[in-house]
């Protein structure tokens, strides 16, 4: 195997990884990702101990323990461009010897749990509810740059979605949740297929002032149905998280706190209170798994 070059994997002067600013010993095998850097403290305030707080740009990390389990919580900021950075650097921290720049012979698999906000697209999914992504269609481009292994049934699902979309030139990909982690943490929760969008406004069917070139995108998402599977919600990271986690051999599950219902045009009256409640519940699931 070849040594990874200094420009392919950039380290800071103290040996930490370039954007995350972390050393291998700084992260636990269980990693919670959140979009909002302020949400990192909202998670770690539940910990019994906090051993580390580090950050750079939008990537804030706290590591500590809860009920004896070591957990890292890390903010990704918004979007799958940041997921590319976070997942490659998390993987390098556990699977590359940063001194020799060689891939370790024994690979480690992380359990990665997204706690994010999201908008439901179906009228029957209540605002302030919790929904787990069983898989995600990416309307962003991240996984067009990486090799993905797909099961036959996933290929069929993706083909059905592509043919259901109006001809706007979009090139979706599909990635499933980490099955073992989903079964452990969330088998009893409502599940659905998530759309990961490359933006918040027109890419999620919103019309404010800039003229959208994709009218009808929302309707085709809402009406999609393949073998009883429907699209439940929109957000901006899950497909990239699932795709890269699978490519790198990690398990990932995305929890969506539903703050908006796009079908009913309803938004949560208490977004921070609802997030607070689900952070507590998800942490309990993680420590009792
Ligand atoms: C958009 O407001 C952001 O909120 C959602 C989307 O995925 C996007 O990142 O998640 P977070 O609340 O985790 O950031």
């Amino acid at each position: 195997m070849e040594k990874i070059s200094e420009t392919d994997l950039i380290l800071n002067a103290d040996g930490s990884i370039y954007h995350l600013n972390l050393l291998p010993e700084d992260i636990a095998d269980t990693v919670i990702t959140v979009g909002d850097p302020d949400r990192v403290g909202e998670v770690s305030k539940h910990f019994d101990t906090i051993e580390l707080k580090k950050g750079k740009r939008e990537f804030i990390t706290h590591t500590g323990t809860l009920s004896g389990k070591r957990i890292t919580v890390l903010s990704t900021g918004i979007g799958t461009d940041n997921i590319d950075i976070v997942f490659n650097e998390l993987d390098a921290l556990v699977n590359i010897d940063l001194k020799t720049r060689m891939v370790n012979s024994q690979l480690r698999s992380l359990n990665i749990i997204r706690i994010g906000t999201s908008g439901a697209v179906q009228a029957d999914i209540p605002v302030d509810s919790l929904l787990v992504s069983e898989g995600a269609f990416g309307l962003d481009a991240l996984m067009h740059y990486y090799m993905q292994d797909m099961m036959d049934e996933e290929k069929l699902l993706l083909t059905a979605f592509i043919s259901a979309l109006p001809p706007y030139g979009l090139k979706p990909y599909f990635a499933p949740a980490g099955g073992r982690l989903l079964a452990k943490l969330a088998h009893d929760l409502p599940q659905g297929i998530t759309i990961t969008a490359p933006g918040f406004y027109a890419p999620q069917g919103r019309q404010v002032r800039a003229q959208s070139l994709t009218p009808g995108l929302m309707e085709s998402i809402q009406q999609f149905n393949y073998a009883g599977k429907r699209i439940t919600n929109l957000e901006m990271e899950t497909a990239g998280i699932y795709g890269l986690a699978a490519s790198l051999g990690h398990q990932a599950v995305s929890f969506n706190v539903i703050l908006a219902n796009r079908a009913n045009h309803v938004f949560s009256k208490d977004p921070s209170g609802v997030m607070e409640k689900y952070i507590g519940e998800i942490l309990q699931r993680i420590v009792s798994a």
Side-chain angles (χ1 to χ4, degrees):
M1 239 179 295
E2 272 192 37
K3 190 170 162 172
I4 299 165
S5 82
E6 288 191 19
T7 49
D8 282 359
L9 187 67
I10 304 172
L11 302 180
N12 300 311
D14 65 353
S16 62
I17 200 111
Y18 188 49
H19 298 92
L20 300 188
N21 202 30
L22 296 172
L23 295 164
E25 58 267 33
D26 292 342
I27 61 163
D29 282 343
T30 298
V31 179
I32 296 171
T33 67
V34 297
D36 182 353
D38 287 345
R39 201 177 300 143
V40 172
E42 296 299 312
V43 173
S44 71
K45 75 181 186 193
H46 293 266
F47 292 177
D48 301 319
T49 63
I50 298 181
E51 71 191 66
L52 170 123
K53 289 187 178 186
K54 284 189 179 177
K56 188 176 176 185
R57 299 181 185 244
E58 57 267 69
F59 309 115
I60 306 298
T61 301
H62 295 176
T63 295
T65 57
L66 178 61
S67 305
K69 189 176 186 77
R70 191 166 180 247
I71 302 174
T72 290
V73 52
L74 156 66
S75 58
T76 65
I78 290 179
T80 56
D81 45 356
N82 282 348
I83 295 304
D84 180 52
I85 289 171
V86 169
F87 274 63
N88 277 289
E89 294 193 6
L90 277 177
D91 180 73
L93 288 170
V94 295
N95 285 326
I96 295 171
D97 182 328
L98 300 184
K99 298 210 167 59
T100 63
R101 299 183 161 275
M102 303 289 283
V103 176
N104 295 334
S105 50
Q106 292 278 57
L107 293 180
R108 268 166 70 193
S109 176
L110 297 169
N111 287 326
I112 302 170
I113 299 131
R114 170 181 179 266
I115 306 180
T117 62
S118 179
V121 299
Q122 306 293 350
D124 63 310
I125 299 175
V127 160
D128 298 343
S129 65
L130 185 65
L131 184 110
V132 180
S133 307
E134 61 174 283
F137 290 123
L139 292 179
D140 63 306
L142 180 62
M143 290 311 294
H144 298 314
Y145 294 86
Y146 291 98
M147 189 79 89
Q148 249 190 310
D149 275 338
M150 285 180 80
M151 316 265 281
D152 285 346
E153 67 214 55
E154 294 165 1
K155 287 181 190 159
L156 291 172
L157 177 68
L158 178 59
T159 305
F161 181 56
I162 291 169
S163 48
L165 279 176
Y168 299 139
L170 302 173
K171 283 178 66 183
Y173 63 90
F174 178 78
R180 289 195 305 280
L181 192 61
L182 186 127
K184 260 203 245 171
L185 295 183
H187 60 93
D188 56 333
L189 289 175
Q191 295 179 17
I193 299 178
T194 295
I195 295 265
T196 295
F200 188 75
Y201 289 95
Q204 293 186 35
R206 291 188 167 91
Q207 176 64 59
V208 184
R209 227 171 67 74
Q211 188 64 46
S212 165
L213 287 178
T214 56
L217 177 62
M218 185 59 134
E219 288 72 16
S220 55
I221 286 171
Q222 285 167 322
Q223 283 157 19
F224 175 74
N225 190 310
Y226 176 76
K229 288 191 186 294
R230 64 176 185 163
I231 294 165
T232 46
N233 63 304
L234 293 161
E235 51 73 83
M236 296 178 65
E237 292 84 24
T238 297
I241 289 174
Y242 283 3
L244 263 185
S247 295
L248 292 164
H250 304 293
Q251 288 277 306
V253 165
S254 175
F255 287 91
N256 303 277
V257 175
I258 301 297
L259 291 187
N261 185 298
R262 298 292 306 285
N264 304 328
H265 309 286
V266 177
F267 192 78
S268 174
K269 299 279 182 292
D270 181 19
S272 34
V274 172
M275 177 54 81
E276 166 78 21
K277 176 179 105 168
Y278 287 125
I279 286 172
E281 280 188 30
I282 294 165
L283 283 171
Q284 276 318 306
R285 285 174 181 268
I286 292 170
V287 295
S288 22

